[in-house]
Amino acid sequence: MIRLFKVKEKQKEIKENVKEKGLVKKQSAGELRLHRDISELNLPKASEISFPNGKNDLMNFEVTIEPDEGYYTGGRFVFSFHVPIMYPHEAPKVKCETKIYHPNIDLEGNVCLNILREDWKPVLNINTVIYGLSHLFTQPNYEDPLNHEAADVLRDDPRLFVSNVRKAIDGRQWVGTDYFPGCN
């Protein structure tokens, strides 16, 4: 029992030293894995990564995707990533910061991508997620939507869908789906 008390005292002393002297904290397993993932990134073309909080905050970053094919050609879409400490056992939290008319991204920026939900596995990595996001721009999926109105238009009237996407990318119409023909 006495030995346990000394261990706790030592841990407290180490924490105080870190606060006082500004010593570098030990990285978690999730941070170490994320560091490796980022150093091994092989981004799709027309994609880039940035660290708005600086390189010392690897757990929060942004990825910009500029599709060069498909419905979203010419658009520029920013996704924020928040990586939990339990990474890779928990999937990163991804949000689209750019307003977008897309069946798999809702108006709040939530992303419907299976590998961010039920199909996440620790063997997956940040590179896989970025490729998955890129794939959403070339192959939007109306069968598993977050934005049901956009999914219905894509399924029922692809020409109108293309028109609505172009308007959103050009910034001509946006506030909600009420502004797009064919959406309720």
Side-chain angles (χ1 to χ4, degrees):
M1 202 60 151
I2 295 172
R3 190 163 182 79
L4 179 61
F5 183 72
K6 286 185 178 188
V7 169
K8 286 189 177 194
E9 261 184 36
K10 186 69 174 170
Q11 288 175 339
K12 184 178 176 183
E13 182 182 322
I14 290 171
K15 284 182 184 178
E16 288 173 4
N17 284 338
V18 167
K19 286 180 186 174
E20 289 174 13
K21 298 178 183 175
L23 298 174
V24 178
K25 69 176 183 116
K26 186 177 179 181
Q27 287 187 317
S28 70
E31 289 171 316
L32 292 171
R33 164 69 186 272
L34 181 62
H35 189 274
R36 189 187 80 200
D37 284 1
I38 289 173
S39 69
E40 295 174 355
L41 270 180
N42 182 16
L43 291 174
K45 59 184 175 179
S47 299
E48 59 186 49
I49 189 169
S50 63
F51 298 88
N53 301 331
K55 291 275 188 179
N56 291 332
D57 184 8
L58 289 182
M59 304 303 270
N60 297 286
F61 57 91
E62 292 179 344
V63 172
T64 303
I65 299 174
E66 295 181 32
D68 57 359
E69 59 181 280
Y71 298 114
Y72 297 91
T73 300
R76 181 178 172 85
F77 306 98
V78 178
F79 292 87
S80 62
F81 281 64
H82 171 71
V83 181
I85 294 296
M86 293 303 297
Y87 178 79
H89 301 286
E90 289 180 18
K93 307 297 182 234
V94 178
K95 199 159 191 99
C96 184
E97 301 297 335
T98 308
K99 288 286 188 191
I100 184 173
Y101 182 77
H102 196 291
N104 309 111
I105 302 172
D106 69 14
L107 299 176
E108 287 79 41
N110 298 308
V111 178
C112 181
L113 185 62
N114 64 333
I115 61 172
L116 292 174
R117 300 179 315 184
E118 72 274 359
D119 290 341
W120 177 259
K121 308 248 184 307
V123 297
L124 299 176
N125 59 33
I126 297 301
N127 208 53
T128 308
V129 174
I130 295 170
Y131 271 91
L133 293 171
S134 294
H135 184 72
L136 285 180
F137 292 112
T138 58
Q139 298 292 320
N141 180 4
Y142 61 78
E143 293 176 357
D144 186 20
L146 276 181
N147 182 336
H148 293 278
E149 291 91 357
D152 292 344
V153 173
L154 174 59
R155 182 188 63 237
D156 300 337
D157 192 349
R159 283 182 162 194
L160 181 56
F161 181 80
V162 170
S163 173
N164 290 346
V165 168
R166 295 288 9 127
K167 288 175 184 175
I169 288 173
D170 296 342
R172 288 184 275 147
Q173 291 182 328
W174 199 255
V175 172
T177 55
D178 295 338
Y179 287 86
F180 290 99
C183 295
N184 301 335

